[in-house]
mmCIF file of all heavy atoms in Angstrom:
data_model
loop_
_atom_site.group_PDB
_atom_site.id
_atom_site.type_symbol
_atom_site.label_atom_id
_atom_site.label_comp_id
_atom_site.label_asym_id
_atom_site.label_seq_id
_atom_site.Cartn_x
_atom_site.Cartn_y
_atom_site.Cartn_z
ATOM 1 N N MET M 260 1.367 9.908 16.105
ATOM 2 C CA MET M 260 0.949 10.956 15.159
ATOM 3 C C MET M 260 2.065 11.583 14.492
ATOM 4 O O MET M 260 3.040 11.921 15.309
ATOM 5 C CB MET M 260 0.107 11.858 15.891
ATOM 6 C CG MET M 260 -0.304 13.015 14.983
ATOM 7 S SD MET M 260 -1.037 14.440 15.786
ATOM 8 C CE MET M 260 -2.534 13.783 16.428
ATOM 9 N N ARG M 263 4.932 17.806 11.760
ATOM 10 C CA ARG M 263 6.024 18.414 10.899
ATOM 11 C C ARG M 263 7.172 18.801 11.853
ATOM 12 O O ARG M 263 6.918 19.464 12.881
ATOM 13 C CB ARG M 263 5.453 19.609 10.122
ATOM 14 C CG ARG M 263 6.391 20.265 9.192
ATOM 15 C CD ARG M 263 6.378 19.407 7.970
ATOM 16 N NE ARG M 263 7.428 20.018 7.014
ATOM 17 C CZ ARG M 263 7.107 20.720 6.009
ATOM 18 N NH1 ARG M 263 5.873 21.016 5.724
ATOM 19 N NH2 ARG M 263 8.064 21.134 5.332
ATOM 20 N N THR M 267 12.730 23.884 16.917
ATOM 21 C CA THR M 267 12.740 23.701 18.409
ATOM 22 C C THR M 267 12.980 22.218 18.753
ATOM 23 O O THR M 267 13.410 21.971 19.921
ATOM 24 C CB THR M 267 11.606 24.226 19.119
ATOM 25 O OG1 THR M 267 10.352 23.644 18.615
ATOM 26 C CG2 THR M 267 11.479 25.771 19.027
ATOM 27 N N LEU M 275 17.240 10.934 16.879
ATOM 28 C CA LEU M 275 16.555 9.995 16.086
ATOM 29 C C LEU M 275 17.342 9.736 14.796
ATOM 30 O O LEU M 275 17.448 8.397 14.436
ATOM 31 C CB LEU M 275 15.084 10.362 15.831
ATOM 32 C CG LEU M 275 14.114 10.309 17.125
ATOM 33 C CD1 LEU M 275 12.852 11.021 16.804
ATOM 34 C CD2 LEU M 275 13.985 8.790 17.574
ATOM 35 N N ASP M 284 27.952 10.414 12.387
ATOM 36 C CA ASP M 284 28.832 11.389 12.632
ATOM 37 C C ASP M 284 28.130 12.734 12.866
ATOM 38 O O ASP M 284 27.135 13.145 12.159
ATOM 39 C CB ASP M 284 29.750 11.567 11.360
ATOM 40 C CG ASP M 284 30.746 12.731 11.505
ATOM 41 O OD1 ASP M 284 31.684 12.592 12.440
ATOM 42 O OD2 ASP M 284 30.643 13.739 10.842
ATOM 43 N N LEU M 288 25.127 14.689 10.668
ATOM 44 C CA LEU M 288 23.815 14.991 11.272
ATOM 45 C C LEU M 288 23.481 16.454 11.059
ATOM 46 O O LEU M 288 22.303 16.702 10.643
ATOM 47 C CB LEU M 288 23.825 14.662 12.758
ATOM 48 C CG LEU M 288 23.602 13.134 13.074
ATOM 49 C CD1 LEU M 288 23.898 12.983 14.566
ATOM 50 C CD2 LEU M 288 22.215 12.771 12.733
ATOM 51 N N LYS M 294 19.782 20.646 5.642
ATOM 52 C CA LYS M 294 19.149 20.386 4.467
ATOM 53 C C LYS M 294 17.599 20.383 4.634
ATOM 54 O O LYS M 294 16.869 21.043 3.857
ATOM 55 C CB LYS M 294 19.477 18.976 3.885
ATOM 56 C CG LYS M 294 18.989 18.871 2.461
ATOM 57 C CD LYS M 294 19.801 17.743 1.718
ATOM 58 C CE LYS M 294 19.560 17.924 0.262
ATOM 59 N NZ LYS M 294 20.622 17.384 -0.510
ATOM 60 N N LEU M 315 10.999 9.040 13.360
ATOM 61 C CA LEU M 315 11.275 10.158 12.345
ATOM 62 C C LEU M 315 11.169 9.751 10.998
ATOM 63 O O LEU M 315 11.560 8.540 10.704
ATOM 64 C CB LEU M 315 12.670 10.764 12.736
ATOM 65 C CG LEU M 315 13.243 11.530 11.750
ATOM 66 C CD1 LEU M 315 14.079 12.644 12.540
ATOM 67 C CD2 LEU M 315 14.253 10.863 10.881
ATOM 68 N N GLU M 324 5.194 12.439 -6.056
ATOM 69 C CA GLU M 324 6.007 11.349 -5.387
ATOM 70 C C GLU M 324 6.680 11.998 -4.223
ATOM 71 O O GLU M 324 7.266 13.083 -4.149
ATOM 72 C CB GLU M 324 6.950 10.811 -6.313
ATOM 73 C CG GLU M 324 7.799 9.644 -5.866
ATOM 74 C CD GLU M 324 8.797 8.927 -6.735
ATOM 75 O OE1 GLU M 324 9.140 9.659 -7.691
ATOM 76 O OE2 GLU M 324 8.999 7.891 -6.641
ATOM 77 N N GLY M 338 10.039 -2.918 16.560
ATOM 78 C CA GLY M 338 9.238 -4.027 16.706
ATOM 79 C C GLY M 338 7.796 -3.934 16.995
ATOM 80 O O GLY M 338 6.976 -4.846 17.134
ATOM 81 N N GLN M 352 -1.716 11.254 4.564
ATOM 82 C CA GLN M 352 -1.648 12.696 4.510
ATOM 83 C C GLN M 352 -1.282 13.212 3.109
ATOM 84 O O GLN M 352 -1.519 14.458 2.856
ATOM 85 C CB GLN M 352 -0.512 13.265 5.464
ATOM 86 C CG GLN M 352 -0.949 12.978 6.928
ATOM 87 C CD GLN M 352 0.239 13.461 7.949
ATOM 88 O OE1 GLN M 352 1.141 14.107 7.572
ATOM 89 N NE2 GLN M 352 0.060 13.128 9.179
ATOM 90 N N ARG M 357 2.672 9.307 -4.586
ATOM 91 C CA ARG M 357 3.084 7.967 -4.356
ATOM 92 C C ARG M 357 4.231 8.098 -3.464
ATOM 93 O O ARG M 357 5.122 8.895 -3.516
ATOM 94 C CB ARG M 357 3.604 7.452 -5.721
ATOM 95 C CG ARG M 357 4.093 5.857 -5.586
ATOM 96 C CD ARG M 357 4.453 5.498 -7.086
ATOM 97 N NE ARG M 357 5.707 6.148 -7.383
ATOM 98 C CZ ARG M 357 6.549 5.652 -8.280
ATOM 99 N NH1 ARG M 357 6.158 4.650 -9.030
ATOM 100 N NH2 ARG M 357 7.670 6.355 -8.649
ATOM 101 N N THR M 364 16.694 3.719 2.417
ATOM 102 C CA THR M 364 15.595 3.425 3.268
ATOM 103 C C THR M 364 14.843 2.210 2.766
ATOM 104 O O THR M 364 13.914 1.546 3.520
ATOM 105 C CB THR M 364 14.574 4.597 3.305
ATOM 106 O OG1 THR M 364 14.115 4.878 1.989
ATOM 107 C CG2 THR M 364 15.265 5.815 3.987
ATOM 108 N N PRO M 366 15.586 -1.105 2.475
ATOM 109 C CA PRO M 366 15.538 -2.402 3.380
ATOM 110 C C PRO M 366 14.611 -2.147 4.633
ATOM 111 O O PRO M 366 13.852 -2.964 4.985
ATOM 112 C CB PRO M 366 17.012 -2.585 3.777
ATOM 113 C CG PRO M 366 17.708 -1.826 2.724
ATOM 114 C CD PRO M 366 16.852 -0.748 2.250
ATOM 115 N N THR M 374 5.315 -6.676 2.984
ATOM 116 C CA THR M 374 4.784 -6.875 1.700
ATOM 117 C C THR M 374 4.795 -5.489 0.934
ATOM 118 O O THR M 374 4.608 -4.424 1.736
ATOM 119 C CB THR M 374 3.417 -7.489 1.451
ATOM 120 O OG1 THR M 374 2.394 -6.541 1.886
ATOM 121 C CG2 THR M 374 3.271 -8.748 2.138
#
Side-chain angles (χ1 to χ4, degrees):
M260 173 195 297
R263 187 79 187 261
T267 56
L275 290 165
D284 182 66
L288 277 170
K294 188 162 200 155
L315 167 144
E324 183 176 27
Q352 290 178 9
R357 180 178 76 160
T364 60
T374 66

